[in-house]
Amino acid sequence: MATVRLKSTSRPSKRPKLNLGSDESNLNDLVNFQLPPRRQHFTGPRRSRKTTANIPWAKERFINSAYRFVLKPSVTADYTVHFVDPDIYFQWGDIAQILVPYTGTSLSGEGNSTCPICLCPPVAPRMTKCGHVYCFACAIHYLHTSEHAGWHRCPICFDSISETSLKPVKWFHGSETESGIAGPGSTLKMRLMQRPQITTLALPQSETWPSDLISPHQAAFQFLPDIYTFAKFMIPAPQSLQDDFQQELEALQIDRSEKIGFGDSLEASFVEGAITKVRALIEEAKSLNVPSLRNAIATAKRGMENIASQRILREATTKFADFSVSDHRPEDWTEEQEQALNDIRAASSASTRLKARKNVNPPPPSTSTYYFYQAASGSLTFLHPLDIRILLSHFGTYASFPETIEVKVEARNEGSVDEDLRKRCRYLAHLPEAADVTFIEADLEQVVGRDALAPFEGALRSRRARRKERERKDDRAKARAEEKEKERMAEEHWVLRFSASRHAPSAQREEEELRAFLQGAGVDVEDRDQSPVGAQGQQNALPGAWGERSFASTLSGPAIARSRPTPDTQRGNDDGWDMDAAWKELEQARSISSGGEGGRKKKAPKLVLSLNGGGVPTPRRR
């Protein structure tokens, strides 16, 4: 028995040394295993590298970037974190309604989406956590078909959904003339937006913004000016929630009547369940009307009234600037107008005294504010940066921009918000990541005049050239895509046509090859073409290796009605080629030719025919 002995050595060999001539084998080289040298830790300064890893797509990210939210009314709720970072998701339980914009629906022409279950405009629409919208009754019916208690898989994305996670959807319809979907050659109305750097709330510049009525770090009420159109999130009044749910209740009642009229009692029962749920939401909205919330709403409405009265005061001051006490009063002059005139004089004298007073301690400089133009409909459509530079050159400062402009659209560029866009356009840092935005290239000649455009003629010419080059690239890419589609369709057409017509030629080729093989083997084969034709003189029976109609010709040829054989057809079949007799003669010939070799009897070869239209069949021994 061979023994294995390990010898310790201080110097391992680089090449294995095997002693093949003796019983002892040196396995020292085989067990010579060493770990690779450890990499030294670098303690010096490292250059920071920008990571370009793609962020995985999440349903929360999609909902946060595509929609706006009506939060549950609460005085104690704190949403300050959302005024700092727009990418922070809202808690699903704090959402009362989801505002789906008019341009974000699948059927923008009608302003409605389509329920994936009933394929109709949703009645009392509800959104799941994955962002899909269903009818309330359809969602309840679908959840009742689940094998699990209380939840089901979304029929579109297979995410888990439940009845408690469904949120009411409210379609946001902008003005028809301010839809924000302006194409080249159309006119678009835009408003000057103002956003302080310390907040993500951006609203049109007006008498209510910036002011004490709307705080930059506190959720504003829905009824305040421009909040419902431009704010990312807002707080509703309990009465507005009740009105919205009441409209859903009326729509569900109409739907139930239609289901009963059609005799669909099953669907009518689920609509009745949705009606019960909506009535519960109405009662919940009524319970939100607490005294603290009522006081906050009353304070906001008084602030709006004060701002409106100040506006009237300013207009009256401008109108009666030269009106003195000794002037004759009109006949319909009232005491209220006289009191208003005295208030105007008092306010004018107070402002004069304040202007004459020297300010010893000047206030600290105000924080920087971003100004930009956005579509008046509230859609994320903005003015091109080059056009903003032209306006800045003409008006001098951003604060001097007109509050409202109407521009002619020359082109539009679509994109999405990412870190690169936030660095290039810092005024859009309040938008959540992955939000779809549109930049329009406008003709500002009617706003600033032809002379103001002269210094930017080169930049405008370069922009038009880039736009034309981009359009040419898009046209070429579209043409290539259409050409590939045509080639693919043609290839599919010829493949189908070849597969439908390949059986007849393959059957004929198969018969010819088999006939040649049998003739070479010395078997007398009668010509198939000499068989008699039918009584009507038409050769409906196609030639084939399997008789009157081969398997392949039966698939590709016309259908032939079966009938009982007549004496003439029976005689014609007898005169034809009998396949069984041919095979028998072939086996006998093979056995005779092979029987002379030696005294051992050999089995006749067996032929295997391929129906795939292949080559000559080859004999195979069993």
Side-chain angles (χ1 to χ4, degrees):
M1 182 176 179
T3 60
V4 179
R5 182 168 53 87
L6 299 177
K7 295 182 180 180
S8 60
T9 176
S10 59
R11 185 176 181 181
S13 176
K14 298 181 180 180
R15 182 176 298 176
K17 299 178 181 180
L18 300 178
N19 187 4
L20 302 178
S22 61
D23 295 337
E24 297 183 357
S25 299
N26 186 3
L27 302 181
N28 185 39
D29 296 320
L30 298 180
V31 297
N32 185 19
F33 174 77
Q34 293 181 356
L35 292 171
R38 181 174 296 179
R39 300 178 63 181
Q40 297 181 359
H41 181 67
F42 181 71
T43 59
R46 294 184 177 183
R47 180 179 299 176
S48 61
R49 294 183 179 181
K50 181 180 179 181
T51 58
T52 59
N54 295 327
I55 301 176
W57 184 259
K59 54 182 180 296
E60 295 87 358
R61 183 184 176 204
F62 165 73
I63 294 176
N64 185 57
S65 61
Y67 307 122
R68 299 186 298 130
F69 307 96
V70 177
L71 306 179
K72 291 183 178 179
S74 176
V75 180
T76 59
D78 186 12
Y79 302 106
T80 308
V81 64
H82 300 287
F83 289 100
V84 178
D85 189 357
D87 296 330
I88 297 179
Y89 305 144
F90 292 89
Q91 296 293 330
W92 195 253
D94 296 338
I95 299 175
Q97 288 178 324
I98 299 178
L99 296 178
V100 178
Y102 179 82
T103 55
T105 56
S106 59
L107 298 177
S108 58
E110 300 179 1
N112 293 316
S113 181
T114 303
C115 176
I117 297 178
C118 66
L119 303 180
C120 296
V123 179
R126 292 294 184 271
M127 180 180 291
T128 60
K129 282 188 175 181
C130 52
H132 298 111
V133 181
Y134 303 91
C135 297
F136 200 1
C138 293
I140 294 176
H141 188 181
Y142 179 72
L143 289 171
H144 277 73
T145 62
S146 174
E147 299 177 354
H148 310 281
W151 68 278
H152 205 332
R153 294 291 182 184
C154 177
I156 296 180
C157 65
F158 303 104
D159 194 9
S160 60
I161 60 176
S162 61
E163 186 176 341
T164 57
S165 63
L166 300 177
K167 293 297 179 181
V169 172
K170 186 175 182 181
W171 306 113
F172 173 70
H173 297 271
S175 175
E176 296 181 357
T177 58
E178 302 171 0
S179 60
I181 320 177
S186 60
T187 303
L188 180 63
K189 183 179 180 180
M190 310 190 76
R191 298 186 64 180
L192 179 63
M193 306 293 293
Q194 184 175 356
R195 181 180 71 85
Q197 190 179 9
I198 58 176
T199 182
T200 59
L201 180 60
L203 297 175
Q205 186 181 22
S206 62
E207 57 188 10
T208 59
W209 175 260
S211 66
D212 296 335
L213 181 62
I214 302 176
S215 174
H217 291 97
Q218 186 176 0
F221 286 102
Q222 180 180 351
F223 57 82
L224 293 177
D226 299 325
I227 294 295
Y228 182 70
T229 307
F230 294 95
K232 177 67 177 179
F233 57 95
M234 63 208 72
I235 296 178
Q239 186 61 40
S240 64
L241 284 179
Q242 297 178 32
D243 296 340
D244 294 338
F245 293 148
Q246 187 65 33
Q247 293 179 2
E248 291 185 351
L249 184 61
E250 295 174 358
L252 287 172
Q253 291 175 352
I254 295 175
D255 190 25
R256 180 185 57 183
S257 301
E258 293 178 354
K259 295 288 192 301
I260 295 175
F262 292 145
D264 193 353
S265 59
L266 180 61
E267 290 294 335
S269 63
F270 290 107
V271 175
E272 184 65 31
I275 290 175
T276 305
K277 301 290 184 182
V278 173
R279 286 175 178 170
L281 291 176
I282 293 176
E283 296 299 327
E284 182 181 353
K286 291 180 180 179
S287 64
L288 296 175
N289 195 10
V290 294
S292 58
L293 186 60
R294 288 199 299 267
N295 295 334
I297 293 175
T299 303
K301 290 183 177 180
R302 284 196 301 269
M304 293 178 59
E305 294 175 357
N306 294 335
I307 292 177
S309 62
Q310 292 177 5
R311 181 179 66 255
I312 296 174
L313 182 61
R314 288 194 302 268
E315 294 176 355
T317 305
T318 305
K319 183 177 180 181
F320 300 103
D322 299 334
F323 195 83
S324 61
V325 180
S326 59
D327 292 338
H328 178 69
R329 303 292 191 274
E331 295 180 358
D332 56 349
W333 191 261
T334 60
E335 295 181 359
E336 289 78 7
Q337 292 176 337
E338 187 68 26
Q339 183 64 32
L341 185 59
N342 296 331
D343 295 338
I344 292 173
R345 295 194 187 95
S348 178
S349 60
S351 61
T352 304
R353 289 194 301 269
L354 289 176
K355 290 180 181 179
R357 180 179 177 182
K358 184 178 180 181
N359 192 357
V360 181
N361 298 321
S366 61
T367 57
S368 59
T369 303
Y370 295 107
Y371 294 87
F372 56 92
Y373 279 101
Q374 184 177 349
S377 63
S379 62
L380 301 183
T381 304
F382 306 97
L383 198 61
H384 195 273
L386 178 58
D387 297 328
I388 295 179
R389 287 171 49 194
I390 295 174
L391 293 175
L392 180 61
S393 174
H394 179 73
F395 292 102
T397 60
Y398 292 103
S400 303
F401 284 5
E403 294 184 357
T404 304
I405 60 174
E406 291 187 4
V407 295
K408 183 179 180 181
V409 179
E410 292 184 347
R412 49 180 296 158
N413 302 319
E414 298 179 354
S416 58
V417 177
D418 53 7
E419 292 299 329
D420 186 26
L421 182 63
R422 287 176 175 175
K423 290 180 180 179
R424 290 187 290 107
C425 304
R426 296 182 181 272
Y427 55 90
L428 298 181
H430 65 288
L431 298 178
E433 191 175 8
D436 295 332
V437 295
T438 303
F439 292 93
I440 64 167
E441 301 176 4
D443 183 8
L444 300 177
E445 183 177 352
Q446 297 180 356
V447 180
V448 298
R450 185 180 297 272
D451 296 337
L453 298 178
F456 299 91
E457 188 63 30
L460 293 174
R461 190 183 303 108
S462 301
R463 188 175 71 175
R464 286 192 292 268
R466 289 193 301 267
R467 182 171 66 248
K468 292 181 180 179
E469 181 63 23
R470 185 168 58 250
E471 291 176 355
R472 284 194 294 267
K473 289 183 179 179
D474 294 342
D475 294 340
R476 288 194 296 265
K478 183 179 179 181
R480 287 194 298 266
E482 292 177 353
E483 188 67 25
K484 290 182 179 179
E485 183 67 17
K486 291 180 181 178
E487 293 178 358
R488 186 186 64 82
M489 295 178 63
E491 183 178 357
E492 292 180 356
H493 171 73
W494 285 111
V495 167
L496 294 176
R497 185 174 180 181
F498 175 74
S499 62
S501 61
R502 65 182 295 270
H503 300 285
S506 61
Q508 184 178 2
R509 184 174 61 255
E510 178 181 306
E511 183 181 358
E512 294 175 356
E513 292 174 353
L514 181 60
R515 182 181 294 131
F517 175 76
L518 294 178
Q519 290 177 357
V523 180
D524 188 11
V525 181
E526 185 180 357
D527 192 0
R528 183 67 183 86
D529 298 336
Q530 297 177 0
S531 59
V533 188
Q536 296 180 358
Q538 296 180 356
Q539 296 182 357
N540 292 330
L542 298 179
W546 302 104
E548 292 295 328
R549 279 178 66 84
S550 66
F551 179 79
S553 62
T554 303
L555 293 178
S556 60
I560 300 177
R562 294 184 178 181
S563 62
R564 291 186 177 182
T566 61
D568 296 337
T569 58
Q570 184 69 29
R571 184 169 54 254
N573 293 335
D574 294 340
D575 295 340
W577 178 32
D578 192 351
M579 284 297 300
D580 295 336
W583 285 116
K584 187 175 181 180
E585 292 178 2
L586 178 61
E587 290 179 359
Q588 291 177 358
R590 286 297 183 185
S591 62
I592 293 173
S593 61
S594 60
E597 298 176 359
R600 188 177 179 181
K601 186 178 180 179
K602 298 182 180 180
K603 294 183 179 181
K606 185 176 181 180
L607 297 179
V608 179
L609 293 179
S610 174
L611 299 180
N612 297 328
V616 180
T618 57
R620 185 176 61 185
R621 296 183 182 274
R622 296 187 63 182

